[in-house]
Amino acid sequence: MARPQEKIYTIEDIYKLPEGTRAELIDGQIYYMAPPSRTHQRICGELYYLIKDYIRKKNGSCEVYVAPFAVFLNKDDTNYIEPDISVICDPAKLDDKGCHGAPDWIIEIVSPGNPEHDYFSKLYKYRLAGVREYWIVDPRMKTITIYFFEGDIWAKQYTFSDAVPSNIYDDLTIDFKTMNL
């Protein structure tokens, strides 16, 4: 007996969702997102501020965005994500709708309801799309897992007691201990 085919959704379906509904689209499947917790927002705000401040002080050309910010990873209409933090260094990828192509650096803060989404689905998609660096910040485990897809480092794990170096910037280190998490 043949199995019924799953419906494949597109970016158009994401745009048709009711106002205020947050969802991502990965390989044609919609994943609804719960509102972020206070801890999630605190971590996201701290990281955004530190990265933005670093880029500003260095007169850097990269831009940093916090969710909700649309990232169209591939040149298709079945993938649409809203990373917690996106750093884009190629201005040609940016327009008023968001980022078209892979950001240089993505940070996701794990939601307790669906951790495998960040650890597996997005890891795979980000690597294939050409993201250079991917951080998974897990408030429950108090860990930061870094994937650097360009050099000798493939994956490294830190804790909330560590100073964590960025790989795309030679002199940016984020000291999680000072964030009072």
Side-chain angles (χ1 to χ4, degrees):
M1 181 166 161
R3 297 175 102 183
Q5 286 191 328
E6 282 187 16
K7 178 170 173 46
I8 301 297
Y9 294 93
T10 67
I11 291 168
E12 188 175 314
D13 294 308
I14 291 289
Y15 286 134
K16 288 180 182 175
L17 293 173
E19 183 80 26
T21 302
R22 291 203 49 222
E24 294 180 312
L25 182 67
I26 298 178
D27 295 330
Q29 296 305 302
I30 294 177
Y31 297 89
Y32 293 95
M33 297 185 293
S37 69
R38 185 174 144 255
T39 299
H40 180 284
Q41 290 298 86
R42 200 167 74 227
I43 293 168
C44 193
E46 286 285 328
L47 291 171
Y48 172 82
Y49 171 78
L50 292 168
I51 295 165
K52 180 79 172 173
D53 189 54
Y54 170 85
I55 292 169
R56 185 174 288 138
K57 285 178 179 173
K58 294 288 186 174
N59 292 317
S61 60
C62 299
E63 294 189 37
V64 60
Y65 294 92
V66 67
F69 177 74
V71 174
F72 307 93
L73 277 179
N74 310 100
K75 292 183 180 191
D76 62 28
D77 66 347
T78 59
N79 288 283
Y80 165 97
I81 56 164
E82 292 183 359
D84 290 311
I85 297 175
S86 303
V87 178
I88 299 105
C89 299
D90 180 357
K93 291 181 179 180
L94 296 168
D95 68 14
D96 281 342
K97 287 191 176 229
C99 176
H100 300 271
D104 294 87
W105 181 12
I106 288 178
I107 299 173
E108 293 283 10
I109 300 155
V110 177
S111 298
N114 196 2
E116 56 278 345
H117 198 57
D118 294 322
Y119 282 106
F120 300 107
S121 304
K122 288 184 177 181
L123 169 64
Y124 177 74
K125 294 304 289 183
Y126 292 161
R127 183 170 181 236
L128 283 181
V131 171
R132 296 169 58 201
E133 184 166 357
Y134 175 39
W135 287 21
I136 302 172
V137 179
D138 192 329
R140 199 177 99 258
M141 302 298 292
K142 297 193 180 306
T143 59
I144 304 97
T145 305
I146 296 178
Y147 295 91
F148 185 57
F149 302 124
E150 288 191 330
D152 295 336
I153 301 169
W154 202 86
K156 191 162 185 176
Q157 194 164 62
Y158 297 88
T159 71
F160 281 18
S161 298
D162 294 325
V164 182
S166 165
N167 291 286
I168 69 165
Y169 295 111
D170 292 334
D171 58 349
L172 173 60
T173 300
I174 296 175
D175 190 349
F176 275 75
K177 192 171 31 198
T178 64
M179 286 199 225
N180 297 318
L181 303 173

